Amino acid sequence: GQWFSAFTIDKGTLNGIEINDPVITSEGLVGVVVTTNLNTSVVSTILDPSVHVGCVVSQTGDIGITQGSRDLADDGEFEVGYLPKNSSVTTGNIIITTGSGGMFPKNINIGIVQRIEKSISGNSVNAICTPMVDPSTVKNVFVITDFSGKDKSGTSSASASSSKGGK
């Protein structure tokens, strides 16, 4: 894939990592584990079109969903869709995880709003954002394998620190 799409880390199922585990740095969300092996895992980043995260604009409380696209990813950006059309979201606002749905812990930084666009339907607005963590430069990540509110369909209690592999 493209540089923004996915990368491999040097930890896997032997370290307690499972598919759908969130991947972060101290700055914020990087992505999610999409495949695992014994000693490695593949992480899809927040810029990837397959990664969707329930999120909230921390300054306004408006809830949306992150959506990657190839066009935006080429510029190192992603979109937050489904924000209310009367939202007061503005440039510089911080996007964080909602914590609902059991896939991501609450209050992890995701990105910073760069511009606002009306949706094609006109029923909502979209925030174009840059990620808190640049997927092209991240070297070390943490994989969150358990947290309060996690969907326990696949449970684990370890936390693993990892480095990008393959370069």
Side-chain angles (χ1 to χ4, degrees):
Q2 303 291 330
W3 65 266
F4 60 80
S5 183
F7 58 86
T8 301
I9 59 173
D10 62 358
K11 302 290 185 214
T13 56
L14 288 177
N15 306 100
I17 294 176
E18 298 175 348
I19 291 173
N20 293 328
D21 282 347
V23 179
I24 65 167
T25 69
S26 59
E27 290 81 34
L29 185 66
V30 177
V32 63
V33 174
V34 293
T35 61
T36 58
N37 295 305
L38 290 175
N39 296 304
T40 62
S41 299
V42 175
V43 176
S44 283
T45 74
I46 192 68
L47 301 180
D48 190 281
S50 69
V51 176
H52 303 282
V53 182
C55 60
V56 62
V57 180
S58 62
Q59 290 81 356
T60 68
D62 294 328
I63 295 174
I65 299 174
T66 68
Q67 307 172 119
S69 77
R70 300 275 179 216
D71 292 339
L72 289 174
D74 285 342
D75 295 325
E77 297 175 322
F78 66 93
E79 176 179 84
V80 174
Y82 308 106
L83 295 170
K85 67 179 175 182
N86 62 348
S87 174
S88 57
V89 63
T90 187
T91 301
N93 284 171
I94 305 296
I95 306 298
I96 61 174
T97 57
T98 62
S100 59
M103 191 155 163
F104 297 94
K106 187 175 183 177
N107 296 328
I108 295 178
N109 289 333
I110 302 172
I112 301 171
V113 176
Q114 300 301 311
R115 63 188 181 280
I116 309 301
E117 300 176 347
K118 287 187 178 183
S119 67
I120 294 170
S121 70
N123 294 327
S124 62
V125 295
N126 301 325
I128 308 304
C129 306
T130 54
M132 286 294 200
V133 180
D134 182 349
S136 68
T137 61
V138 68
K139 299 289 184 216
N140 295 299
V141 298
F142 292 95
V143 178
I144 301 174
T145 57
D146 197 14
F147 57 91
S148 177
K150 180 178 180 180
D151 177 2
K152 300 291 185 179
S153 57
T155 58
S156 176
S157 60
S159 179
S161 175
S162 183
S163 299
K164 279 173 83 171
K167 282 201 174 179

